[in-house]
Amino acid sequence: MTKHQNTQQLKSIQPRLMAVTLLLLFSLAQLPALANNIAAATIPIKMVGEHIFIKVKVGNSKQLNFIFDTGAGGTVINLRTAQSLKLRPSGFTPVKSAHSQDFTPYFANNELKLAHLSVDDVRLLGSSLEHLEARSGTPIDGIVGFAILKKYIVRINHDNATLELYDKEGYTFPRNARAYDVSWWFPVPSIKATLTLDNGEKITGSFLIDTGASTSLILNSPFVNRNRLLKKFNKKLKHSSQGLTSKKITDFKARLKQIKVGDFSFSNVPVNLSRAKRGLLASDKIDGILGNGLLKRFNLILDYSNQKLILQPNKNYYKVFKVNSSGIRIKLTLKKKFKIMEIYKGSPAYKLGLKAEDELLAVNGIPTKDLSMNAIIRMFREHGRIVYVTIKRKGKVRNFAMRLKALI
């Protein structure tokens, strides 16, 4: 090849090299600027239903199964776990859940260990978590939130399935990411959001950022009453729910036309319309809760000290909001058997004659002993499909073919 040909070839390559370089620089500019932020700890997370689970030690205990809950102002320990760790109650204290307020024993001056980090002087609130364990199908030793949020900048990274903890000093926010102002309410973060109803009416309110709530959106009873929302949703489903305490309450489920949080909008969102008369959901100081059914669509960065929140859309962002399409709510008993906890009136399961306390033996021919709670719930959310259910009632085995239909 001649010198002239070499020169011509270089000239032809240069524009392409420049284009590739510019594209690379542009791509790098879009990446979160986390390279300057070295996590003090990176903790694996596991999603069970809509709950985020992490491993925590209490003192020198074995690894325990805790829900990470941004809506948890206090740190909760299962009374069964407290007994096994031989913790002695320091006294009793009032605790407010979503639906009510009760008194519970507390255990003072505990150390929580997350990976190689320690959080000292943590007061643990004792509570029976059996109802949460039955609904999630997994052991739950405790619930933690604010004890971590007040000490570290926290990033919930669903793309990598990690909880990243950063020291506050020297932390820089990701470039090209907008930081939203949040308020802190006893001491849970809250943010403004705008709801759009089917009739086009728009309502703005303040909502708690609560990764411990397994729903997408809950509207407090004063907010529901003030805006006459029960009359503005044509299709509603009566539903019983239960918070941290053992008290149950009846509310309604429906679909919201749209919700806008920051710069992000979601359509056809499941919503709970609370009828609570006591507890957090009866408060007129806050309008409701953004739960993890919606929040899991973002990698969240929470900075408690500066009252900032960053929302980064992740792999879940465009997923459709699926709901119960069978009418069956299941629980896992202490004997590790799946049973029907509740049947929604008018649902496919109701019309087939399935009943509460029926033991669920198999779904689509797969024994339930080989299925997780997550897997069964997913099977029951596939609107339009036929699922085959085997149950046992009073010693007799029965089979049903059920065409699924979304309840809301």
Side-chain angles (χ1 to χ4, degrees), residues 97-101 241-244 247 249 251 276 278-281:
S97 77
H99 305 102
S100 61
Q101 179 171 307
S241 59
Q242 191 172 357
L244 182 61
K247 292 182 174 62
I249 190 167
D251 57 20
R278 297 180 61 200
L280 173 63
L281 295 183

Side-chain angles (χ1 to χ4, degrees), residues 154-343:
V154 174
R155 185 180 191 225
I156 305 171
N157 188 339
H158 288 283
D159 287 324
N160 293 339
T162 55
L163 185 74
E164 300 161 10
L165 308 182
Y166 296 90
D167 290 322
K168 297 175 184 178
E169 188 175 349
Y171 182 87
T172 57
F173 286 117
R175 67 170 67 93
N176 300 328
R178 180 176 172 185
Y180 297 97
D181 293 326
V182 293
S183 302
W184 294 82
W185 194 80
F186 291 125
V188 180
S190 68
I191 192 170
K192 294 283 187 182
T194 300
L195 317 182
T196 302
L197 307 182
D198 286 339
N199 63 8
E201 181 181 353
K202 294 183 185 294
I203 309 170
T204 298
S206 294
F207 300 90
L208 299 182
I209 300 163
D210 187 354
T211 61
S214 60
T215 53
S216 295
L217 175 65
I218 306 173
L219 303 180
N220 280 16
S221 52
F223 184 82
V224 171
N225 296 336
R226 187 167 65 247
N227 293 288
R228 300 181 180 181
L229 293 181
L230 286 180
K231 295 181 178 180
K232 296 176 181 178
F233 287 93
N234 295 324
K235 189 175 182 180
K236 299 184 293 292
L237 176 70
K238 189 175 284 189
H239 168 78
S240 65
S241 59
Q242 191 172 357
L244 182 61
T245 66
S246 58
K247 292 182 174 62
K248 290 185 178 180
I249 190 167
T250 298
D251 57 20
F252 292 90
K253 285 181 173 289
R255 287 270 193 175
L256 180 68
K257 183 177 181 180
Q258 187 182 78
I259 181 171
K260 185 175 183 182
V261 184
D263 298 313
F264 306 98
S265 296
F266 297 95
S267 300
N268 209 24
V269 178
V271 57
N272 284 33
L273 308 171
S274 176
R275 307 307 300 139
K277 291 181 170 56
R278 297 180 61 200
L280 173 63
L281 295 183
S283 174
D284 60 359
K285 306 298 183 186
I286 198 77
D287 295 315
I289 292 172
L290 295 179
N292 213 38
L294 188 148
L295 294 173
K296 72 178 183 182
R297 295 158 195 271
F298 299 99
N299 295 334
L300 303 177
I301 299 177
L302 280 161
D303 181 351
Y304 174 79
S305 298
N306 294 304
Q307 297 186 311
K308 297 294 182 184
L309 167 71
I310 287 178
L311 301 171
Q312 299 173 313
N314 62 28
K315 63 183 180 181
N316 300 316
Y317 185 76
Y318 291 106
K319 288 184 178 179
V320 174
F321 289 90
K322 292 184 178 181
V323 296
N324 190 329
S325 298
S326 67
I328 298 173
R329 295 182 74 192
I330 55 175
K331 64 182 178 181
L332 184 66
T333 69
L334 294 176
K335 294 182 178 180
K336 304 299 181 184
K337 294 181 179 180
F338 285 105
K339 285 195 171 185
I340 295 177
M341 180 170 64
E342 181 183 4
I343 297 286

Side-chain angles (χ1 to χ4, degrees), residues 121-162:
D121 196 25
V122 178
R123 186 171 74 160
L124 301 175
L125 306 174
S127 180
S128 171
L129 300 180
E130 285 184 3
H131 59 288
L132 289 178
E133 292 177 314
R135 294 208 305 263
S136 65
T138 193
I140 303 173
D141 294 302
I143 303 170
V144 65
F146 183 64
I148 298 174
L149 288 169
K150 70 179 180 180
K151 187 170 182 180
Y152 298 99
I153 292 173
V154 174
R155 185 180 191 225
I156 305 171
N157 188 339
H158 288 283
D159 287 324
N160 293 339
T162 55

Side-chain angles (χ1 to χ4, degrees), residues 33-58:
L34 292 174
N36 295 329
N37 300 315
I38 299 174
T42 300
I43 302 163
I45 64 175
K46 180 181 179 182
M47 293 295 296
V48 178
E50 304 293 7
H51 289 303
I52 300 170
F53 280 84
I54 61 173
K55 295 297 185 183
V56 176
K57 288 184 178 181
V58 177

